[in-house]
Amino acid sequence: MILYINACTRKESRTKYLAERFIDKRGIGEVEELNLYDVVFPCTDEKFLDWRNGCVERGDFSDKYFDLAKQFAAAEKIIIAAPYWDLSFPAVLKQYIEHINVMGITFIYTDEGYPKAMCRADKLYYITTAGGEFLPMEFGFGYIKSLAESFYGITDCELIMAKGLDVVGANVEEILENAI
């Protein structure tokens, strides 16, 4: 299964357009889309953390809460579509990451204290767009790539981006086509 994580809130999102064109052009098979704006994430307060930690300690992942982590861990490939906003990506993607980062499902710790991946994916595509030219990698793609490599064992991470879309005089269609 190929998991398409959609962190695009706008109906006419250029990032979503780019991601869907990428999926169509690559012909990569059956894709399961997860629209993060359809997910209701629990408030990560002390009570929630106590419950979640208790489940992890018992190895009890039967609650539907853990389905997102299981889905991520089972995916063969991951596609993340996230626009570049306010020096990063939409907050809903960070929420998702916090809730799929479950010890015992997506990773475990070795006896030496290092994360060991439990995910199946061998490739992660990160698709983004930006209105300007300023797009520091460490705040968006770099963060996701680091997590993918360090915790999830996904060492093949590819960035697909279109930037400068809101620059006066920019040919948006051409920029998007070049990215595709």
Side-chain angles (χ1 to χ4, degrees), residues 5 18 39 80-81 92 94-95 127 138 159-160 165 177:
I5 302 163
L18 189 60
V39 177
I80 298 175
V92 71
K94 178 65 167 97
Q95 285 182 294
I127 301 172
E138 62 272 17
L159 172 63
I160 299 160
L165 298 173
E177 283 306 311

Side-chain angles (χ1 to χ4, degrees), residues 44-57:
T44 308
D45 58 13
E46 187 172 6
K47 181 179 176 183
F48 169 79
L49 289 174
D50 288 345
W51 170 81
R52 182 176 136 155
N53 290 342
C55 290
V56 169
E57 287 171 13

Side-chain angles (χ1 to χ4, degrees), residues 25-174:
K25 186 171 182 155
R26 285 283 174 113
I28 54 179
E30 180 96 17
V31 175
E32 187 173 317
E33 180 179 350
L34 173 63
N35 186 325
L36 295 183
Y37 291 94
D38 292 339
V39 177
V40 178
F41 294 101
C43 177
T44 308
D45 58 13
E46 187 172 6
K47 181 179 176 183
F48 169 79
L49 289 174
D50 288 345
W51 170 81
R52 182 176 136 155
N53 290 342
C55 290
V56 169
E57 287 171 13
R58 291 188 307 279
D60 178 5
F61 303 116
S62 60
D63 192 274
K64 69 178 182 149
Y65 164 78
F66 296 104
D67 289 352
L68 290 175
K70 291 174 188 176
Q71 177 189 46
F72 186 90
E76 296 166 22
K77 296 192 184 321
I78 309 284
I79 300 167
I80 298 175
Y84 183 71
W85 287 0
D86 301 325
L87 298 177
S88 188
F89 42 72
V92 71
L93 181 54
K94 178 65 167 97
Q95 285 182 294
Y96 173 75
I97 291 165
E98 287 179 2
H99 290 282
I100 64 154
N101 209 33
V102 178
M103 190 170 61
I105 298 178
T106 53
F107 76 99
I108 58 172
Y109 281 113
T110 65
D111 291 340
E112 295 78 26
Y114 293 100
K116 180 179 175 187
M118 295 183 67
C119 295
R120 183 175 177 194
D122 61 358
K123 177 85 175 183
L124 182 141
Y125 299 95
Y126 186 84
I127 301 172
T128 192
T129 59
E133 291 293 332
F134 182 72
L135 189 65
M137 293 300 108
E138 62 272 17
F139 299 139
F141 173 66
Y143 176 77
I144 297 297
K145 182 180 181 201
S146 180
L147 276 174
E149 292 173 347
S150 302
F151 278 85
Y152 310 135
I154 308 168
T155 56
D156 189 358
C157 298
E158 184 176 335
L159 172 63
I160 299 160
M161 70 174 165
K163 60 183 182 172
L165 298 173
D166 294 335
V167 173
V168 175
N171 184 334
V172 174
E173 291 77 24
E174 184 178 314

